[in-house]
């Protein structure tokens, strides 16, 4: 099982190498990605991602999207993207970029989700 998880993460990382960036997108450095640990990132649909120290991950859906929380683990890979293995067997890699003054999550499919600014920042 452990080797399957490693394989899935590595295969996801390989497929995530070509990101659909827009003009002005600046991918976060590995240091900036590491600084996301321990923070709760809230998106404009009120969903929340938490990248915890030690590699634990959770995403809490907004009440409008049914609520509930998906759990998994994450790993920062070579290109600075974050690959997540969810407990339900779903795996995905995402890339965070700075874009026009915002922090934006880009999925492997090219979907873009801006992060709400934290209060006071």
């Amino acid at each position: 099982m452990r080797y399957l998880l490693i394989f899935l993460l590595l295969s996801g990382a390989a497929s995530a190498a070509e990101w659909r960036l827009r003009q002005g997108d600046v991918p976060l450095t590995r240091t900036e990605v590491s600084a996301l640990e321990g923070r709760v990132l809230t998106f404009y649909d009120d969903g929340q991602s938490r990248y915890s120290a030690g590699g634990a991950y959770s995403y809490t859906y907004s009440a409008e999207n049914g609520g509930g929380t998906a759990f998994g683990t994450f790993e920062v890979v070579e290109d600075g993207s974050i690959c997540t293995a969810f407990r339900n067997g779903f795996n995905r890699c995402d890339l965070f970029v700075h874009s026009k003054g915002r922090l934006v999550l880009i999925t492997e499919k090219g979907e873009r989700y801006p992060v709400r600014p934290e209060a006071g920042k």
Side-chain angles (χ1 to χ4, degrees):
M1 180 70 166
R2 184 179 201 166
Y3 295 108
L4 176 61
L5 176 61
I6 291 169
F7 172 76
L8 290 172
L9 284 173
L10 291 176
S11 64
S15 68
E18 293 188 34
W19 295 99
R20 296 179 190 157
L21 299 179
R22 294 181 181 170
Q23 185 174 0
D25 285 351
V26 179
L28 271 62
T29 65
R30 287 183 64 90
T31 301
E32 290 172 314
V33 172
S34 295
L36 296 176
E37 284 188 13
R39 290 181 49 196
V40 175
L41 304 178
T42 302
F43 297 91
Y44 282 90
D45 68 353
D46 291 326
Q48 295 185 322
S49 286
R50 179 184 301 269
Y51 297 92
S52 299
Y57 175 79
S58 65
Y59 181 82
T60 302
Y61 294 88
S62 67
E64 183 177 292
N65 288 320
T69 301
F71 296 96
T73 58
F74 76 94
E75 177 183 10
V76 179
V77 296
E78 187 70 27
D79 69 353
S81 61
I82 298 176
C83 293
T84 305
F86 292 91
R87 288 184 189 167
N88 66 4
F90 180 71
N91 298 291
R92 185 180 84 205
C93 294
D94 301 313
L95 183 71
F96 281 99
V97 299
H98 295 290
S99 181
K100 299 180 182 175
R102 289 187 171 179
L103 179 61
V104 177
L105 178 143
I106 303 174
T107 68
E108 291 173 304
K109 293 179 181 178
E111 300 164 323
R112 299 174 69 90
Y113 298 98
V115 175
R116 283 189 184 173
E118 293 178 349
K121 288 193 176 185

